[in-house]
Structures are given as structure tokens and as C-alpha cells.
Amino acid sequence: MNSILKDPFKGWGLNNTSRPVTIAGPCSAESEEQILDTARQLKAQNIEIFRAGIWKPRTRPNSFEGVGSIGLEWLKLVQKEVGLKVSTEVANVKHVYEALRMGVDILWIGARTSANPFAMQEIADALKGVDIPVLVKNPVNPDVDLWRGAIERIQGAGITRVGAIHRGFSSFNKTRYRNIPQWQLPIELRQKMPDIPMICDPSHIGGNRDILQEISQKAMDLNYDGLIIETHCNPDKAWSDASQQITPDQLKNLLGKLVLRHRNMEPGVLNETLEDLRLKIDQFDDDLLGILEERMKVAEQIGMFKKENNITILQPDRWQEILAKTLEKGHNRDLSDEFISQMFRAIHQESINKQTKIMNED
Ligand code: PEP
Ligand code: MN
């Protein structure tokens, strides 16, 4: 994971492997015109790898499930007439054979497939003896070992050029993301598999074009090697994932605005392990702050209730109960009594301050 000392895309046949290596193209192939129009605009921006889904795994039936094999003919035209490498998603053995027969350059495995070890093994077996780069998306559920296992199955088939795509994780809670990023997980995968290029898919993490820039920047700040961004010649009219797709011009603008910071150098050596551990800590700190913010919002609602019902802010019994409960739970998590009581005293005090403010508002 570090382009200073090694090139994670070495042997992938790209002219330019500087960060971020960018894969772009529509969520789904829709027509020959849409594919060629989008591909030509991307070629003009020096994008080297085109993406388009032919077989689309949709959550519910009766939505657009991809154009199927005809799309492979259009990808062939993108290779021949436009001069881009092409990639598509394969989810079963039939897809693999068809894509290989049509000379697709790079395959990717979707999030629903990488969650299924049987499907992964069948795909890996179908790839034995084939020399093609394969990108493995994280499984829909936040399980690093499942993701790692999917990659290991592909490697076990003798495939040497394997990359990981971070596309976020399903969650029950509604958040601003379509799939919550849980940045600690890809960082953990990278610690376990340091030679695998890590590519961020801000389109499926975000689900919304307005937050693609921010997610892509975060990926660059975390030293990702590449991006895969859904790009469509007419995004609002896209047959799938319309709200997250952007035009080739918008992609150019997004890539141009990315700030690429230098990786932290120790004298002589880049200490990746330390850097990754620090990134993980930073992510947990962000998560803690987010949880504290949510907690304080609830405290404010309680403050509102107390005000309306004329109840005092400080309820000593309740506070004793919280303290006792958290001390016990902290104990089970190997967190010292001193730490737990100091931390929760500070949190409780901040809640009281917030509630006092509400009480004193007219
Ligand atoms: C896609 O890339 O269009 C796709 C279906 O992604 P995922 O497997 O991440 O949902
Ligand atoms: Mn999509």
C-alpha cells in the first residue's frame, strides 16, 4: 500500500499507476450509445479502466437486472474503438466464462457474492489457470475475515493480480451513507494483506453524488491506491443508481480537487504499520465523537422534557445507576474503574451543562 516504495498495480498493464488509479463508467450498461459516449469522454480524461455492470444483482425482483451478454459486445467496442481496458462484475461461473470468452480485461466480484464462500469458491475454481486481474468488493456485512477469505480463494486459484474494493457495509440504521464506510475494516484488511491494492467505491458508499468528493478525499487521506466511480453520460436518466452517478466532466472536477498528501516518512523507511494503526485510532476517535454528539442530543431532549414537567436536572439516583452499570460493563471490557468513572463523570457533566442551558432558555 505504498506507492513510494512499491507499485501496487505493477503488472496490470496501466500506463499511469500514480494515485488514484481510477476506474470509471456507468453502474449498468444500457445501450451501445450510452457505453461508447461515456467511454469516449472518459478516454479524453486519460482514464484507463472502464466499468459497466452487465448482470446486476438487485435487491428485489422486477427492477432492471442488467442487459446481459449483449453488453459484452459493447465492452468489446470500448476496447477496440476507444482503447480502454474494460471491467465487469461476475457473480457465477457462467458470467466468468462469458466474460473471459469476450476478453474482458478485469473482473470484479460484487458485495453480495463476496459474502458467500460457496459462490466465491466456484468462481475461483472457474478462474484456475487464467491470468486476469480480479477485484473483490467487501461483503455486505462488516466481516473482515469474510472479505479476506474471498480474496484468499481467488489467490488460491493462482490469480496474482488481486485488488480489494471498499464499497461500505449494509446497516439497519438510516445514515447519511447508503452503505456505512466503517473505515477501520479496510484498514484492518490492509494490515493483514499489505500487498493488495485498496480501491474505494465512493459511489456505493455514498449513494448520492453530493458526498462523493468528501468520501474520495477521505480515501486518499487513508492512503488508498485507487477509486472506482460510477460515471454516466446522462446520470439522471440512468437505469440503476441514478442519484450516485456523475458525468465524466464532474469526475474530472472531482479528481482535480483531490488533495494528495505525502505519506508520513520515518527516516529511510515508511512505517506503514504504525501509520495504519494511527489511522484506525483516528477513525475510532471520530466514531466516539459522533456517538457523543448523538448522546448529547438525547440529553437535550430529556432537558426539554424536564423543563416542561418542572423536574430538577440532577437526578442523583439515576446518575448512581449509570455509574454502577458502566463500571460493571467497563470491568468486563478490561477498562479500569478509574477511567470509566472519570470519563462518565465528564460525559454526565456535559449533559447537565446542556440541560441547564435548555432550562435557562426562554
Ligand atoms: C456495482 O458496482 O454496481 C455493484 C452492484 O456494487 P456492489 O456489489 O458494491 O453493490
Ligand atoms: Mn451501482
Side-chain angles (χ1 to χ4, degrees), residues 27 51 56-57 89 108 110-112 137 167 201 204 230:
C27 176
R51 64 148 284 157
K56 301 301 298 178
E89 171 172 349
W108 88 75
R112 292 154 198 79
K137 288 199 167 196
R167 52 78 80 194
D201 175 349
H204 291 91
E230 286 187 340

Side-chain angles (χ1 to χ4, degrees), residues 174-192:
K174 273 255 149 292
T175 71
R176 61 194 289 263
Y177 301 104
R178 177 176 176 193
N179 291 291
I180 44 172
Q182 306 233 29
W183 298 97
Q184 318 72 321
L185 275 82
I187 293 172
E188 194 172 328
L189 183 84
R190 185 165 63 184
Q191 284 177 292
K192 291 176 171 165

Side-chain angles (χ1 to χ4, degrees), residues 301-311 359:
Q301 286 170 359
I302 293 182
M304 232 84 96
F305 180 88
K306 286 177 179 167
K307 183 177 184 176
E308 277 160 23
N309 294 281
N310 220 10
I311 301 172
M359 284 284 184

Side-chain angles (χ1 to χ4, degrees), residues 147-201:
W147 192 4
R148 189 179 174 200
I151 292 170
E152 285 168 340
R153 285 176 202 278
I154 296 296
Q155 289 175 322
I159 304 280
T160 52
R161 291 168 294 170
V162 186
I165 299 178
H166 171 218
R167 52 78 80 194
F169 303 88
S170 294
S171 76
F172 176 71
N173 295 331
K174 273 255 149 292
T175 71
R176 61 194 289 263
Y177 301 104
R178 177 176 176 193
N179 291 291
I180 44 172
Q182 306 233 29
W183 298 97
Q184 318 72 321
L185 275 82
I187 293 172
E188 194 172 328
L189 183 84
R190 185 165 63 184
Q191 284 177 292
K192 291 176 171 165
M193 304 184 122
D195 297 327
I196 301 281
M198 181 62 74
I199 297 169
C200 181
D201 175 349

Side-chain angles (χ1 to χ4, degrees), residues 1-10 12 14 16-23 135 162-164 166 186 190 193-200 216 218-228 255 258 260 263 272:
M1 288 312 304
N2 111 42
S3 57
I4 300 168
L5 299 179
K6 60 178 189 257
D7 177 359
F9 289 101
K10 191 159 180 274
W12 288 57
L14 303 173
N16 180 3
T17 56
S18 52
R19 283 201 312 149
V21 163
T22 303
I23 304 170
L135 302 168
V162 186
H166 171 218
R190 185 165 63 184
M193 304 184 122
D195 297 327
I196 301 281
M198 181 62 74
I199 297 169
C200 181
S216 305
K218 173 92 181 175
M220 291 302 101
D221 294 344
L222 294 178
N223 291 343
Y224 280 46
D225 302 290
L227 297 169
I228 177 167
L255 295 175
L258 287 178
L260 296 178
R263 292 163 181 198
E272 283 181 35

Side-chain angles (χ1 to χ4, degrees), residues 12-165:
W12 288 57
L14 303 173
N15 294 322
N16 180 3
T17 56
S18 52
R19 283 201 312 149
V21 163
T22 303
I23 304 170
C27 176
S28 303
E30 298 164 11
S31 68
E32 186 178 315
E33 298 68 47
Q34 168 244 11
I35 285 293
L36 286 176
D37 183 4
T38 309
R40 287 197 176 104
Q41 294 189 52
L42 290 169
K43 174 75 181 177
Q45 294 177 22
N46 297 322
I47 297 291
E48 291 190 68
I49 310 173
F50 187 73
R51 64 148 284 157
I54 303 293
W55 301 286
K56 301 301 298 178
R58 304 313 298 276
T59 305
R60 299 185 61 212
N62 305 322
S63 50
F64 172 60
E65 292 192 322
V67 292
S69 313
I70 178 82
L72 294 170
E73 316 264 353
W74 307 335
L75 290 182
K76 190 106 225 154
L77 294 175
V78 171
Q79 285 173 321
K80 285 205 175 138
E81 292 184 12
V82 189
L84 293 176
K85 290 190 183 300
V86 298
S87 62
T88 200
E89 171 172 349
V90 290
N92 59 36
V93 172
K94 174 182 164 285
H95 297 163
V96 171
Y97 289 148
E98 286 200 34
L100 292 177
R101 199 180 61 233
M102 288 300 280
V104 169
D105 300 291
I106 298 173
L107 304 177
W108 88 75
I109 315 251
R112 292 154 198 79
T113 311
S114 63
N116 179 347
F118 287 123
M120 282 310 303
Q121 193 56 53
E122 282 180 12
I123 291 171
D125 290 343
L127 285 169
K128 279 210 175 104
V130 182
D131 183 24
I132 189 169
V134 179
L135 302 168
V136 182
K137 288 199 167 196
N138 67 255
V140 278
N141 50 325
D143 182 338
V144 181
D145 281 333
L146 195 58
W147 192 4
R148 189 179 174 200
I151 292 170
E152 285 168 340
R153 285 176 202 278
I154 296 296
Q155 289 175 322
I159 304 280
T160 52
R161 291 168 294 170
V162 186
I165 299 178

